[in-house]
Amino acid sequence: LQRDGGELIGQSDAMRHLAKEIELVAASDLSVLITGETGVGKELVARTIHNQSDCADQPLIYINCAALPESIAESELFGHTKGAFTGAVADWGGKFELADSGSLFLDEIGEISRNFQPKLLRVLENGEFHRIGNAKQIIKVDVRIIAATNLDLERAILTGNFREDLYYRLNVVPLHIPSLRERPDDIPALIQFFLDRADTAHKLS
């Protein structure tokens, strides 16, 4: 899955359907859960949704939940005040503050700590949180949530690794990206795209 000039490449029925779904969901402010195998282009679809939305001129903030240790998750997402913990040498706004009025892309959401999930759920429910070290100051943000995963979250719910209420809060609008083997009709277009890009790079070198 690639993009050329802001458009998703591919003329298969699956890609046409996906493009239409993106167009529809981008016009809303509903939370989106993008699913698909690793490498199918989930981040690209998230960026396309944001770029086609009314908040396209606002930030799109990315965070990889798989690379987010539980010990720093709260600080990364909600921020902290100076002196809140060892190493907190200044006030810092987290990802939610940075994404205010824009979109927050939670990649690999299925990997987020089970212990942190209730805290994330509360923010998704009311848009309110506080920085670590300042429980008195409530911060309220308006953020569009786009999450993505290659895991089967419904199975993770059954095994106790993912909260069911968080899943339904994220999965307001589900978008599934089919793998290339499910849409072989798009292979010629993708080959041509890579050939054109290689030719352009060669001419510029």
Side-chain angles (χ1 to χ4, degrees):
L1 185 62
Q2 295 289 330
R3 186 175 64 179
D4 184 15
E7 298 296 329
L8 299 172
I9 293 177
Q11 296 299 316
S12 66
D13 290 342
M15 283 300 296
R16 291 177 185 274
H17 179 70
L18 178 61
K20 184 61 177 178
E21 286 185 314
I22 290 172
E23 180 181 354
L24 291 173
V25 72
S28 75
D29 60 356
L30 299 175
S31 297
V32 183
L33 179 62
I34 305 170
T35 58
E37 298 177 6
T38 299
V40 294
K42 294 186 287 294
E43 182 178 352
L44 174 59
V45 168
R47 291 187 180 280
T48 304
I49 292 171
H50 176 78
N51 291 338
Q52 291 185 12
S53 72
D54 291 338
C55 62
D57 59 340
Q58 299 297 322
L60 169 63
I61 303 299
Y62 169 90
I63 189 160
N64 182 356
C65 298
L68 188 64
E70 182 179 343
S71 59
I72 66 169
E74 190 169 358
S75 174
E76 280 292 304
L77 287 171
F78 307 148
H80 59 255
T81 59
K82 181 179 179 180
F85 51 83
T86 302
V89 297
D91 290 351
W92 186 80
K95 301 292 188 180
F96 270 95
E97 284 187 69
L98 294 174
D100 192 20
S101 299
S103 303
L104 180 62
F105 178 44
L106 301 170
D107 198 10
E108 303 297 348
I109 188 64
E111 304 288 352
I112 200 162
S113 162
R114 183 67 170 81
N115 293 329
F116 185 71
Q117 290 176 28
K119 297 178 181 180
L120 177 59
L121 175 63
R122 284 197 295 272
V123 179
L124 299 187
E125 288 175 338
N126 57 28
E128 296 180 352
F129 59 94
H130 61 80
R131 291 182 180 178
I132 298 176
N134 189 355
K136 294 182 178 180
Q137 181 185 8
I138 301 299
I139 299 171
K140 188 171 182 64
V141 294
D142 180 14
V143 174
R144 201 291 177 63
I145 300 295
I146 306 174
T149 183
N150 62 352
L151 301 179
D152 184 343
L153 292 187
E154 292 185 355
R155 178 173 294 180
I157 291 170
L158 294 176
T159 59
N161 292 319
F162 203 85
R163 290 178 62 107
E164 185 174 16
D165 46 4
L166 177 57
Y167 171 72
Y168 286 114
R169 179 65 62 174
L170 294 167
N171 194 39
V172 178
V173 179
L175 280 183
H176 179 71
I177 305 176
S179 63
L180 189 56
R181 66 176 177 276
E182 297 174 82
R183 48 187 183 90
D185 292 349
D186 291 331
I187 293 176
L190 286 167
I191 291 174
Q192 188 61 52
F193 169 77
F194 286 118
L195 288 174
D196 292 343
R197 189 168 69 175
D199 183 58
T200 300
H202 177 71
K203 289 178 180 178
L204 293 175
S205 62

